[in-house]
Structures are given as C-alpha cells and as structure tokens.
Amino acid sequence: MPITPTAKIWMDGELVDWEQATVHVLTHSLHYGTAVFEGIRAYPTPSGTAVFRLREHLERLLRSAHLLAMDVEHSVDELADAVKATVAASGLDACYIRPLVYLGYGEMGLNPLPCKVRTAVAVWPWGVYLGDEAMRTGIRLKVSSWARLDPRTLPTAAKATGMYINSSLAKVEAVRAGYDEAILLTTDGYLAEGTGENVFLVRGGELLTPPVSAVGALEGITAASVRTIARDLGYDVREALLRRSDLYLADEAFLTGTAAEVVPVASVDDRVVGSGGPGPVTRAIQDSYSAAVRGELDRYKDWLERVD
Ligand code: PPE
C-alpha cells in the first residue's frame, strides 16, 4: 500500500517537512540492518485522537535499542512528546506511527559503537493491514518453509529492522503461493508467529498462545491487550508449545498485531480452521479490542494517551 505523505517527520529533536526527512546512502543501518523500530496506532476516541499503549511501545523501543547496544539520547517521555507532536502536526485522527532508531552516516564497518544514534518518528494513514475483507471472513495462512529466527542467533525480543528479512522471505513465499499471510515455526517445529503478528488458538473455550521467548517471537503489545480482554470476557489464556497440527485442529485461530489488529484465520495450508470464518471467541475479542482502542470501554481507558 503506497504511503500517503503527512506534514512533518520528527528527526532528532525537531519536526522537519516530510520531503526533507532524508538520510545519506551510506547510513550505517541501511547497510547492516542495525536499526530498531516500533509500530503504534492512534485512534479517534470520544475525547479526541489518542495513542494506544504509547508508553509500552516506547519502552519496548528502548529495550530493542539496548539489545543492539545502541544508546538512545531520548527518554520515554521525550519520545512520547515527539510522537504526540508528530501526530498533532499531521492533523489526522487515526494513523500508524513509526518510531525508528538507527545508526547514521559517518562510520562504516561492522562495529556499530562509534556510530551516531539517530531517532525519527513518522506517521501516516494506514488502513487495515490485511484488508477489510480479511477482518470479516478471515485470512488464508500458509506455514512457511522459512523457520523463525532462532533466539540463539539473534535477540528475537528486539524489534530490529535486519531481523525482518526472515518475515519478508516468509511473506513473499506465502503471497506468491496465493495466501494472505505466513506463519513461521521454530527450527524445532513449534508454532512461533506470523510475519508481523502473534498467534492465538482457541480450543475447548480456552486460548492458547506460544511462549514468546522460547519460540523467538516478538512480545506483542496487542497480544498482551488481547490476553487481558480475553480474561475479562471470562476465557482462560494459557501459554503452550504448539505444533502445526494444533493449528489445523483448533476450533478458532487469530493473529494479533498493531498493524493487523485482531484478524481471524480462515484456513491454514488449505485446511479449514473450525467453521472457516471468525468463530464466537474471536469475534468477541475483535469487538472488545476495536472498542478499547477507540476509547469506548472505560475499563481500558488507561491504555490511551490523548494527543492535544
Ligand atoms: N510479531 C512480529 C514479528 C511483529 O512484527 C509484530 C508487530 C508483532 C508480532 C505484534 O506486536 P504488537 O504490534 O506489539 O502487537 N508488527 C509491526 C510491524 C508490521 C509491519 O508490517 O511493519 C506492527 O504491527 O506494527
């Protein structure tokens, strides 16, 4: 989906015009994938535009930077102000927010330590990641032939740009084969995650999801929100090492992510999952999540930070 430009991008402390937000071709992170990022969403709420779980996303950004030995000059509070200023400058009431911490131009070679750590925040309108239709009818998933990154080779808890080659290869394979999305297994064959989403199964009224640190998946903030919502709706949620057959045999399955939100799985490897559309548990969670991010549920008000 082509990016629609907005007014300003925040770069290292100032808002610059969208067109001026450029870097040199010898920028370190462009060569070695040494950048960390976040994906956050702002939604329209009854009390104005608000950012969903802003602090949690920025804390994860700083943890990702720490895992890559990058010292970020900005605190969570400063980054939160940067995000809110960029959203406000866009005039949008709903947008996707992309903070990026990267190593700038000036040094080359694999030692990143001498490089200048730079920070940017961009926002733009981004509709439903896997399409409106997918939200209603569910997606066709394919188990990828690419295994998920092994936590012994890379710090999989970091949301680092270079690590997304793994997701990108899986996505290309799935899309070229006519599927909507890929799901990756660990090198040991356990269910890990989608290319940009965590995974949940429903079995006997209980929700099951892989233990993220064991399978090398990202610790999703949407997944954490969904766990809370599911428990509040009265469902048990449990972490379990799962096989691809558990996915085939699930009553329901869905993926979660900031960009994707809560998206039902219709089939996996051409095997219908459950009824082949969003089941009752998935629907209940989708509805609550959608209401929570829009400030319609008092119980989850603390998850929203207003943009003035
Ligand atoms: N796993 C991966 C690999 C991942 O990239 C994401 C987010 C998640 C799980 C879910 O995390 P969370 O957003 O905190 O619930 N993927 C981001 C990037 C997507 C992209 O295409 O770029 C996102 O959803 O913003």
Side-chain angles (χ1 to χ4, degrees):
M1 211 190 300
I3 296 178
T4 307
T6 57
K8 300 284 185 186
I9 292 181
W10 187 92
M11 286 181 94
D12 305 304
E14 55 182 319
L15 287 172
V16 301
D17 287 343
W18 179 278
E19 308 297 339
Q20 308 304 318
T22 55
V23 294
H24 196 275
V25 75
L26 294 181
T27 296
H28 189 278
S29 292
L30 194 55
H31 293 251
Y32 305 116
T34 48
V36 296
F37 69 104
E38 269 306 320
I40 315 175
R41 275 190 191 272
Y43 292 92
T45 76
S47 49
T49 302
V51 184
F52 188 66
R53 307 201 77 168
L54 177 59
R55 305 279 151 171
E56 287 91 334
H57 280 282
L58 296 175
E59 282 159 10
R60 188 173 67 186
L61 181 70
L62 296 185
R63 287 201 300 276
S64 296
H66 179 65
L67 285 165
L68 268 70
M70 299 164 92
D71 285 324
V72 183
E73 280 172 12
H74 309 282
S75 64
V76 165
D77 281 340
E78 286 165 12
L79 294 169
D81 287 344
V83 166
K84 289 187 278 183
T86 317
V87 174
S90 76
L92 296 169
D93 65 352
C95 60
Y96 185 77
I97 303 160
R98 171 57 56 84
L100 177 74
V101 173
Y102 62 103
L103 301 175
Y105 163 82
E107 295 274 346
M108 204 42 95
L110 281 169
N111 179 8
L113 300 175
C115 296
K116 174 106 183 92
V117 177
R118 302 193 59 188
T119 308
V121 179
V123 310
W124 65 88
W126 204 357
V128 190
Y129 195 53
L130 294 163
D132 286 320
E133 175 84 358
M135 296 303 252
R136 282 192 304 273
T137 59
I139 54 166
R140 296 180 61 235
L141 265 188
K142 181 189 192 308
V143 172
S144 185
S145 68
W146 294 99
R148 173 63 187 165
L149 299 168
D150 188 305
R152 290 168 298 189
T153 65
L154 286 163
T156 47
K159 196 168 166 62
T161 58
M163 302 197 331
Y164 277 81
I165 294 172
N166 179 241
S167 288
S168 189
L169 288 167
K171 185 83 186 188
V172 167
E173 181 188 54
V175 168
R176 284 195 170 156
Y179 296 84
D180 300 309
E181 183 56 294
I183 185 98
L184 291 92
L185 308 179
T186 66
T187 50
D188 295 325
Y190 292 109
L191 216 54
E193 61 177 347
T195 65
E197 310 90 4
N198 293 109
V199 59
F200 285 84
L201 309 186
V202 181
R203 198 165 67 195
E206 182 186 43
L207 270 79
L208 299 171
T209 191
V212 288
S213 67
V215 300
L218 188 72
E219 194 171 323
I221 291 162
T222 316
S225 311
V226 157
R227 284 177 191 226
T228 302
I229 288 170
R231 290 195 173 113
D232 290 345
L233 289 171
Y235 301 111
D236 285 329
V237 185
R238 190 161 60 85
E239 285 187 354
L241 282 171
L242 301 162
R243 295 286 188 183
R244 73 195 286 175
S245 49
D246 292 310
L247 197 48
Y248 293 171
L249 296 175
D251 300 332
E252 301 178 32
F254 59 88
L255 305 181
T256 65
T258 299
E261 302 184 316
V262 178
V263 57
V265 173
S267 67
V268 182
D269 298 337
D270 301 308
R271 287 161 178 81
V272 170
V273 173
S275 64
V281 179
T282 305
R283 255 191 229 283
I285 289 170
Q286 259 188 318
D287 291 348
S288 283
Y289 182 79
S290 169
V293 297
R294 286 171 184 78
E296 291 159 11
L297 301 176
D298 269 348
R299 159 175 228 175
Y300 307 121
K301 278 260 159 66
D302 290 350
W303 286 348
L304 291 162
E305 186 157 337
R306 258 193 69 188
V307 175
D308 291 312

